[in-house]
Amino acid sequence: MPVINFNVDGKPVSVDADSNEELLWVLRDRLGIHSVKYGCGVGLDGVCTALVNGNAVRTCITPVGAVAGKSVTTVAGLSDGTNLHPVQQAWVDNDVAQCGYCQAGQIMQAVALLNKNPHPTDADIDKAMAGNLCRCGTYFRIRTAIKQVAAGKYGGGQVPATANTVYSAK
Ligand code: FES
């Protein structure tokens, strides 16, 4: 099997894997990153979302060969270990999570949205988040948290999509 090199949460990794193996299972089973969750397994619920070069992808249907040489960011890589990413802090402040299972994917999708569109309208938020399902129905709090970040409550400016870039909550 080929060795595939890429970055995860700011660190270089090399995996000896079939290039068609799904990124989700490489992250979870080979690299031990369990914050990326398994949901539907067919790219329909957004639970497994991570960023590849800043773009939201469904890791359950992304072959690891497609991320060779690229940067993968998981929810575990958003914080520097001390300070939360602004989107994470907004999630905490708004008590967004209920059972929490979908929330890593929701946060990563929100980061991707705000990285591309720092001031989304409600329609922009609904469109961007439409593929991330939440059985607990936390959609209103998700939208509130995204709007607070967009309004600059957590430092303003472009929301970082890469690991170890930290904004302080006001
Ligand atoms: S918080 Fe339970 S599925 Fe979203």
Side-chain angles (χ1 to χ4, degrees), residues 37 95-103 134-138 141:
K37 302 298 185 190
D95 290 327
V96 170
Q98 192 163 319
C99 82
Y101 196 80
C102 74
Q103 296 297 333
C134 175
R135 292 172 68 97
C136 300
T138 63
R141 295 197 296 274

